[in-house]
Amino acid sequence: MQLRPRARIVGTGMFVPPDIYTNKDLEKMMDTSDEWIQQRTGIKERRFAKPGIGPSDLALEASRAALTMADVKASDLDLIIFATLSPDYFFPGSGAFLQDYLGCGPVLALDVRGQCSGYIYGLKVASAFIESGQAKRVLLVGAECHSRGISLTTEGRDVAVLFGDGAGATVLVPETNPELGILSVEAHTDGAYREILKLETPSFKQWPAITKENLDAGLQFPQMDGRNVFKHAVTRMPEVVGSVLGKHGLSPDDVKLYLFHQANMRINEAVMKQLGQPLTKTYNNIERYGNCSAASVPMCLDEAVRAGRLERGDLLCMTAFGAGFTWGSALLRW
């Protein structure tokens, strides 16, 4: 009996814009301080893209790096999955932009709206396509240009200091070795909490989609109840890690490396404490890039891989939590 193939990551890549904005730079724009930002988030700096650059432009560079590592040509791809909450246009999706930029022909390209959990959601989709035999070479990308949608003012500082621009990409192929590849991806949504972290305007629920009243009220910028987000994240993330490990009879001690969404260093520290694991078993880059939403996990993965943090056969757990609420965890045997 032939075993159903698993999806396996064989290439990683990332790209961030060259322009660095430190906490000191933000001090000049709003009433905040480097000390305040670092104590509450762990962030020291972030990258902002220049005007005219969109998430698909960042994704292109990350994708090229991932394809090179995988030794896969863009023309060989049969599926592109693009996770983002800051698309180039409302429509068409950014996947269509990337497909055209790569010149890989009219392959299926789709967007995933899982916010900060977008890459984990994308892994679930990619795995389903590969395991069912519908795709053999999948490009999964997370990319964001948050700098377009934050208010760099004292009024917007609670959100503005958190976010940066960047892209991470992975190439997935079928793997028949039962010891390797993606073992499980678990993902959840609870829309009861959709109002706690949101961006309301433009809204196709109203007419017109953009009104002067909404703009004057600042509804074109993200709104967040940070305390509530923190509380749910430090509950749901260790919970879903335990669940995905339990499906395979594994414990947190069995994992070689944990990669978490880079929203707040205090969240990641709290999750590791609940899992009873040392911080040395994580890889974080939030201090350099801030929160890059759907790009955070694949950016961490690429840096960890290139830094030699993973060897063949190592157990890797990647976990995220975001607006919606959305959350999920992926367990892989590298």
Side-chain angles (χ1 to χ4, degrees), residues 217-238:
L219 298 185
Q220 71 274 30
F221 299 121
Q223 301 163 65
M224 177 178 68
D225 178 349
R227 188 183 301 273
N228 229 328
V229 172
F230 187 98
K231 180 181 72 174
H232 284 271
V234 299
T235 299
R236 293 302 192 181
M237 290 174 70

Side-chain angles (χ1 to χ4, degrees), residues 6-55:
R6 286 196 176 114
R8 181 173 173 229
I9 296 172
V10 293
T12 66
M14 66 162 284
F15 181 78
V16 292
D19 291 345
I20 298 173
Y21 284 75
T22 66
N23 293 342
K24 292 291 185 182
D25 292 323
L26 297 190
E27 289 178 359
K28 303 170 186 176
M29 305 176 189
M30 62 190 73
D31 183 11
T32 190
S33 71
D34 175 54
E35 180 183 15
W36 186 89
I37 296 171
Q38 287 201 50
Q39 284 181 350
R40 286 159 178 78
T41 69
I43 300 169
K44 296 180 180 179
E45 60 187 44
R46 71 286 293 147
R47 306 295 182 96
F48 289 167
K50 293 184 182 299
I53 300 296

Side-chain angles (χ1 to χ4, degrees), residues 149-151 156 159 163 197-200 218-224:
I150 53 178
S151 177
V159 173
F163 291 100
L197 179 52
K198 62 182 179 179
L199 178 60
E200 284 189 59
L219 298 185
Q220 71 274 30
F221 299 121
Q223 301 163 65
M224 177 178 68

Side-chain angles (χ1 to χ4, degrees), residues 142-214:
E144 308 286 1
C145 276
H146 288 129
S147 57
R148 306 291 187 264
I150 53 178
S151 177
L152 294 168
T153 64
T154 297
E155 291 73 22
R157 64 184 173 183
D158 289 349
V159 173
V161 301
L162 301 174
F163 291 100
D165 301 345
T170 48
V171 176
L172 298 96
V173 300
E175 174 58 64
T176 56
N177 184 338
E179 301 299 319
L180 302 175
I182 298 176
L183 306 181
S184 291
V185 183
E186 185 174 326
H188 302 275
T189 304
D190 191 343
Y193 299 99
R194 64 189 180 277
E195 299 293 325
I196 291 176
L197 179 52
K198 62 182 179 179
L199 178 60
E200 284 189 59
T201 297
S203 170
F204 289 170
K205 288 183 68 174
Q206 66 179 26
W207 173 258
I210 304 173
T211 67
K212 182 179 185 302
E213 291 75 19
N214 283 352

Side-chain angles (χ1 to χ4, degrees), residues 88-100:
D88 297 77
Y89 292 174
F90 264 84
F91 65 88
S94 290
F97 282 71
L98 182 58
Q99 177 268 332
D100 180 47

